[in-house]
């Protein structure tokens, strides 16, 4: 019984994190949000949706630290930078969009993959120059 409660609590927390990432995405587009909050929000959203982690998941225990600590911490900090009225409006919009079905934006997904590939090539070329 206790295990079911823990699992339910974890699922609810994961849903909340997912919802808040989408709220940050919507807030990024709002002109009332300061530029520094937009920049931080976009970095948090990009990291949350990115398939590449700061600490790879295959490393025991440490691999999940970014998912359990870094992403929620980034979301919390970003939400504190954004005006409360904007957050409330974005939460309402996010809920409306969720009820209509999950949006799919393949262009944005391809852009994120392209950015990570370019970063990997850049870092690889630097490492290659250093070690040859």
């Amino acid at each position: 019984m206790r295990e079911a409660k823990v699992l339910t609590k974890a699922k609810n927390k994961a849903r909340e994190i997912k919802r808040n990432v989408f709220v940050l995405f919507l807030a990024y587009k709002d002109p009332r949000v300061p530029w520094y909050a937009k920049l931080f929000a976009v970095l948090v959203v990009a990291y949350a949706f990115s398939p590449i982690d700061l600490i790879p998941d295959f490393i025991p225990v440490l691999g999940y630290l970014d998912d359990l600590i870094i992403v929620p911490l980034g979301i919390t900090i970003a939400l504190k930078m954004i005006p409360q009225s904007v957050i409330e409006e974005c939460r309402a919009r996010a809920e409306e969009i969720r009820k209509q079905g999950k949006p799919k934006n393949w262009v944005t997904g391809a852009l994120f993959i392209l950015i990570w590939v370019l970063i990997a090539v850049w870092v690889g070329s630097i490492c290659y120059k250093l070690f040859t």
Side-chain angles (χ1 to χ4, degrees):
M1 186 67 142
R2 177 172 154 79
E3 294 156 356
K5 288 181 181 179
V6 171
L7 186 59
T8 302
K9 187 176 180 181
K11 284 181 182 180
N12 289 338
K13 191 67 174 168
R15 281 189 197 107
E16 180 184 344
I17 288 172
K18 202 169 163 183
R19 185 189 72 190
N20 283 335
V21 168
F22 193 57
V23 167
L24 287 178
F25 174 72
L26 293 174
Y28 164 76
K29 297 178 179 184
D30 196 300
R32 297 173 290 172
V33 176
W35 68 270
Y36 56 88
K38 286 184 178 187
L39 177 64
F40 193 77
V42 120
L43 291 174
V44 170
V45 170
Y47 186 76
F49 285 136
S50 172
I52 300 171
D53 291 339
L54 188 63
I55 304 168
D57 288 342
F58 63 82
I59 297 174
V61 181
L62 294 176
Y64 292 104
L65 279 180
D66 63 342
D67 298 328
L68 297 173
I69 295 172
I70 296 173
V71 173
L73 183 64
I75 291 169
T76 302
I77 293 169
L79 288 174
K80 289 190 184 291
M81 293 179 177
I82 299 169
Q84 193 62 34
S85 61
V86 174
I87 292 172
E88 290 171 8
E89 288 177 25
C90 290
R91 281 194 174 131
R93 279 196 349 229
E95 188 61 29
E96 288 174 19
I97 292 170
R98 187 191 66 78
K99 287 180 182 176
Q100 295 172 0
K102 293 181 181 178
K104 291 180 176 79
N105 192 337
W106 296 105
V107 174
T108 304
L111 182 64
F112 277 115
I113 291 170
L114 177 65
I115 289 170
W116 280 112
V117 167
L118 290 175
I119 289 171
V121 168
W122 177 63
V123 169
S125 68
I126 289 173
C127 290
Y128 179 75
K129 289 175 186 175
L130 286 174
F131 297 112
T132 57

